[in-house]
Amino acid sequence: MNVSCPRLDLSATGGEKQQINCEEKCPLERSICGQKMMLTPYFSVPHLPGGDGPCLVHSAVLSSGCEQRSSQLLHSGAVGKIAWKMSSMALESQSLTQKAHSKDEGFVAPKVTINTPNKSFGQCAVSVDNQLTMGPLTTPKKGMEVRSVDPWTPTSNLKMLISAASPEIRNREKELCVDNDGREGLDPSQESENGDWKMISRKEKSLGLLCHKFLARYPDHPNPALNNDICLDDVATELSVERRRIYDIMNVLESLHMVSRSAKNRYTWHGRTKLAQTLAVLKQVGEEQRYGQQMLHIRQRLRDKEFDFDGEEKENEEVVELESGEQGQKELFFVELPGVEFKAASVNSRKDKSLRVMSQKFVMLFLVSNPRVVSLDVAAKILIGEDQCVDQDKNKFKTKVRRLYDIANVLRSLKLIEKVHVTEERGGSPPLNGSAPKNSHKLKSSTSECATKKKSVLEPRALENCAKNLFSSPGAKRGFTRHPSLIKLAKSIQDDRRKINSAPNSPFKGAFSDSSNTELPNKMAQLAAICQIELNQESSTGADDPKPFAAEADPAAVRLDPSSVSMEPPQAPFQTPTQETTVNTTVHLTPHTPLTALPTGSLAYIQAQCSPLIPVLLPQQRGGMPYAVYLHSSSPRPNPLVRPQPTSLAVRSMTFEDKTGQSPTGQGTAKSLPAFRASDVSPLVLKRLRSDSASDGSPSKAKRTDPNFKARLKARRGTQPLNRPSSRALHLDPEFVNTPGGAVANQTLEQSLETFLDKEDRTAYSDSEAGLTPVRVVPLTPGQLHTETLIPAGYLIPISQQSLISYREAQDAGRESNKALTPAYLPNTHCRQALAQETTPTSLRLHKPTAASPLTTQQAHRLHSPSPAILNFTLQNLGLISDPEGVSSMASPLALQQRGMVFIKPVSPVPVQQSLSGQPMTLFSLQQPLMTTPKGTALPQHSFFHTPVHLSPLAAMVTPGGQLAPNTVYIPQRKLDVATEES
DNA sequence: GCTTCCCGCCAAGAA
DNA sequence: TTCTTGGCGGGAAGC
């Protein structure tokens, strides 16, 4: 059967945006809709709420079909400062062959076509046939829906993709196939009668999966010249769902301007062509709405609750939250894009509660939050506040959360956000008094989450990681971490580790076995040393260290996937403008940072960036997309910038990464902060904010062991925010805005950002001098992951090669920009040159440019060398990186030992330099001591394996005074925890 | 027990 | 009046 639907082949329109009469062009369409469709002309001018006028700032390049070219220009560095690269998920690029192929061509027709020569004529594959024979489609009635299981339909293709990606679903699909053998054509209602439909797992009927199916039908970048019309009836029929569900999807997609309502029951598919533009606009609007501010308030309240053991406080806080939420907040309606006419049916009647509006607001929260982790709870509160609902009750909150789940699921399908495990970083207040955390259920939830979800990725280590989380959680009561049963568990885990380490492929087997016996005591002794070191360091550098703003994670976070917008495989070594803008920022490594060589590996010790995660790069896996596996480190990490130690609570969360590659801090926060300090903000609020940030600089757990430090901490207690991610957190992917248009669109934002950054840094300094921790000092680098709050436990985070490369570029640019910076700004820059190429530990084989290669050697390194960002990220997480001015004591080999993290080559010892010549290097995650409470000062190093390497960034990093030592240094190593993707 | 979110009722509004 | 749209919350699956 070959159904030729003009909807899929309207190239005859010549690319003109014109009114298309279905009756003329599409017999099928005629029979289906018989109505005119208007391809959206891009003329109208949006009026952004709170804005002074039309928001055309971000619309310059994007719109209609110029994106592709713009993208190329941006990637080549010819245009703009921000290159929103379209990276792709390996899955997408590999599986969606048709889609990817289409993308390569720039524009493609909607994949609605069902051209299935081999299609079987089973009863189950009848959607199109039925359309042809049934005449005009009407609203599907219950029982009329047909399950489209034809293997050659787009939906089936999607199923294949999903099946390939998920063994669980694959198995389920197999079962379904078996079931359908005898009952093909059964519609959901019929199956329901038979019980089959209801037997289908709830997950398989999820809105996210449905959205996946829906998205698989259409290209990311449709040719505007073609008819990209969407008939809801068709979709509902072919996806075998009720239209109600389709509305949910469409509303969210509409909020992102991926679709636009063209007529009743009809939408026009825009794909991701406008996504970047939309996100840029939303970001701007979000900043205007001061969502970041509101989130801070709410988070602060939540943190206050944590410290307040009086449950009655809750009600009062609710009121305050509402007030704060209403503060300075303007009523926000649907944000339109230039040229996008909004035709929602009930836009005027329900817009305030519309799912699309909620979706936009939700996305805004990600865009303006730093880190881009948004708690559903917080989001719900904000949304409720906007609704001016004073008498909010739990029901309303629950309803809001339900809707947010719906939205989040769709956004996840779009790969704009993703759920992540977030370690509960209870920054604030280490229970010095030994009191138990108020939120014990969260602890349970976290651990449960860890035990279950991490299992899928790191199953062998699931329990271990959970235990590590427990021990690494500063927020958790220490007494708990010392509980004998946990210690016993830790030992058990260590035994397991020994077994793993004793594996034949472990190059350090002997060393580890030797040290295993004394490992625990030694580590504890080391921890004590760390306490002292960090305390000293804090004294010397103290508040000068850049601190992430609003680092606390909320209970449920979503994260934007770097590949969400892009379908292109990461490849280009071009520097993104966005990253260039971050040159002045402190080097903040994230899993999304480039795996480039370390030509100038600027390494900085960012105390606040310490996280319990040990990122392990898994380069070039899955279609060339490197992944980072985050393993929780159990070691006590000095984390002055972040709110104290994360509790070991790894709660399920979602991250929404900023795909703009822009630092949330740098933009959302930076831009919002000035307003914060404006006169319209009460001193109390400002103080709270500062105190909030102060928590970012909260001492590590190790520090807390110091009596003096405890006293200091105690004095500050109550003002320190909890860096505790909520159980419902979403994280926006840094790259989600990484689209060409977005780059241009955000250019303006970026330009204005630097001014704020400088301001903020200065302020931070003054705050530090005043005894307050700077609100925000760490401008995040593109694609960076806010480690202190965003701690995906056990997730494989795809790393865009592009972003990685971009990071390198950003660093380079950053160094140059730093030269021009005022001295006041420099201290917070934390960028330092290093003998990158010679010393960079790498997990990637260096690319040797050929004569024909247009790439320079440096570029080649950028492409294939390990990213300093990764290194920084890791080291920062481990607290091993020191800033140029910082005390170098932390960066001693001992510190490395204590952190238990090291970059090593499979064949060790070998100078890193050699590895750079083409030999692959592997990044290993070394296990951390489970015991987090340092009790001794003895620092036995003999138990550690040392890998002599030539001076590396690592070595340079650990060199006191920031001086590069031209000597080979020994990198202490501990147990090997070979983190592979399979692990 | 809590989180997550599917499901479908039913109301508002458009046709 | 019919149909579209989608707000809303019960309640169950899943953890």
Side-chain angles (χ1 to χ4, degrees), chain A residues 145-148 188 197 210 235-242:
Chain A
E145 295 167 351
V146 177
R147 305 198 67 200
S148 177
W197 178 250
L210 178 62
V235 174
T237 300
E238 296 178 16
L239 296 183
S240 303
V241 295
E242 296 179 2

Side-chain angles (χ1 to χ4, degrees), chain A residues 85-87 568-574 800-803 805 855 863:
Chain A
K85 174 171 184 308
M86 313 259 310
S87 63
E568 299 172 359
Q571 54 186 3
F574 304 113
S800 169
Q801 191 97 3
Q802 177 71 27
S803 65
I805 293 165
L855 300 175
L863 275 174

Side-chain angles (χ1 to χ4, degrees), chain A residues 881-931:
Chain A
I881 304 177
S882 64
D883 59 288
E885 311 80 33
V887 174
S888 60
S889 59
M890 268 301 300
S892 65
L894 175 59
L896 293 175
Q897 290 178 338
Q898 293 164 346
R899 297 297 181 253
M901 182 68 183
V902 70
F903 297 87
I904 59 175
K905 272 187 68 174
V907 178
S908 172
V910 172
V912 177
Q913 192 170 2
Q914 295 180 6
S915 67
L916 294 175
S917 62
Q919 217 168 357
M921 207 159 182
T922 302
L923 175 63
F924 291 90
S925 167
L926 300 185
Q927 296 301 324
Q928 298 296 313
L930 290 174
M931 299 309 298

Side-chain angles (χ1 to χ4, degrees), chain A residues 815-826:
Chain A
R815 279 187 295 277
E816 298 204 356
S817 299
N818 287 341
K819 295 176 182 178
L821 290 176
T822 61
Y825 186 89
L826 289 174

Side-chain angles (χ1 to χ4, degrees), chain A residues 236-255:
Chain A
T237 300
E238 296 178 16
L239 296 183
S240 303
V241 295
E242 296 179 2
R243 278 200 307 181
R244 177 68 193 83
R245 304 280 74 80
I246 301 299
Y247 286 128
D248 290 336
I249 296 174
M250 299 307 290
N251 284 334
V252 176
L253 294 179
E254 197 173 12
S255 71

Side-chain angles (χ1 to χ4, degrees), chain A residues 188-417:
Chain A
S189 63
Q190 290 172 330
E191 293 188 41
S192 178
E193 293 175 358
N194 296 335
D196 292 347
W197 178 250
K198 290 185 178 180
M199 287 175 59
I200 295 176
S201 172
R202 176 185 171 97
K203 292 180 179 179
E204 297 176 38
K205 294 183 287 186
S206 68
L207 194 63
L209 183 57
L210 178 62
C211 186
H212 261 296
K213 294 176 181 178
F214 176 83
L215 295 174
R217 297 162 51 89
Y218 307 97
D220 285 345
H221 301 277
N223 186 345
L226 303 180
N227 179 8
N228 300 303
D229 202 52
I230 299 173
C231 179
L232 295 186
D233 291 337
D234 292 347
V235 174
T237 300
E238 296 178 16
L239 296 183
S240 303
V241 295
E242 296 179 2
R243 278 200 307 181
R244 177 68 193 83
R245 304 280 74 80
I246 301 299
Y247 286 128
D248 290 336
I249 296 174
M250 299 307 290
N251 284 334
V252 176
L253 294 179
E254 197 173 12
S255 71
L256 298 174
H257 299 103
M258 293 182 69
V259 298
S260 62
R261 190 170 183 271
S262 57
K264 186 181 73 173
N265 205 24
R266 289 218 162 261
Y267 284 81
T268 299
W269 174 255
H270 303 301
R272 298 175 187 267
T273 56
K274 299 178 181 178
L275 183 57
Q277 183 183 3
T278 301
L279 293 174
V281 172
L282 292 178
K283 182 183 177 99
Q284 184 181 17
V285 174
E287 291 171 352
E288 293 173 356
Q289 294 289 320
R290 301 163 78 181
Y291 281 134
Q293 206 172 327
Q294 297 177 40
M295 292 178 67
L296 287 177
H297 288 204
I298 293 176
R299 285 173 176 170
Q300 179 62 43
R301 295 298 177 184
L302 293 176
R303 284 191 294 269
D304 292 342
K305 283 183 188 175
E306 295 293 335
F307 297 109
D308 186 2
F309 295 94
D310 184 3
E312 296 178 356
E313 188 91 1
K314 184 177 181 180
E315 295 180 356
N316 296 333
E317 289 175 352
E318 289 294 334
V319 175
V320 175
E321 287 175 8
L322 286 176
E323 292 174 352
S324 63
E326 295 171 356
Q327 178 182 2
Q329 186 177 76
K330 309 155 193 170
E331 189 177 5
L332 180 62
F333 299 112
F334 188 76
V335 177
E336 299 180 8
L337 284 180
V340 178
E341 184 179 0
F342 188 68
K343 297 179 180 179
S346 58
V347 61
N348 294 325
S349 60
R350 306 178 185 179
K351 55 185 172 185
D352 57 333
K353 297 180 181 179
S354 171
L355 196 69
R356 61 174 67 85
V357 174
M358 284 184 61
S359 175
Q360 286 189 335
K361 292 178 181 178
F362 190 46
V363 173
M364 288 178 194
L365 295 180
F366 287 107
L367 295 173
V368 302
S369 67
N370 173 36
R372 293 217 158 97
V373 177
V374 175
S375 165
L376 294 186
D377 295 338
V378 172
K381 289 179 182 297
I382 292 176
L383 293 176
I384 291 173
E386 288 177 353
D387 291 338
Q388 307 293 321
C389 179
V390 178
D391 59 339
Q392 60 159 333
D393 52 7
K394 287 187 176 180
N395 290 335
K396 189 169 187 66
F397 179 79
K398 288 173 60 179
T399 298
K400 225 64 172 178
V401 171
R402 287 192 194 104
R403 299 289 80 78
L404 288 177
Y405 275 120
D406 294 338
I407 296 169
N409 283 330
V410 175
L411 295 178
R412 286 176 65 191
S413 297
L414 293 171
K415 293 183 174 60
L416 288 178
I417 62 175

Side-chain angles (χ1 to χ4, degrees), chain A residues 10 15 129 242 270 424 426 446 526 562 584 637 828 909 983:
Chain A
L10 294 179
D129 293 289
E242 296 179 2
H270 303 301
E424 181 164 344
R426 189 171 302 223
S446 300
Q526 295 163 9
N584 296 333
R637 300 162 296 98
N828 292 329
S983 64

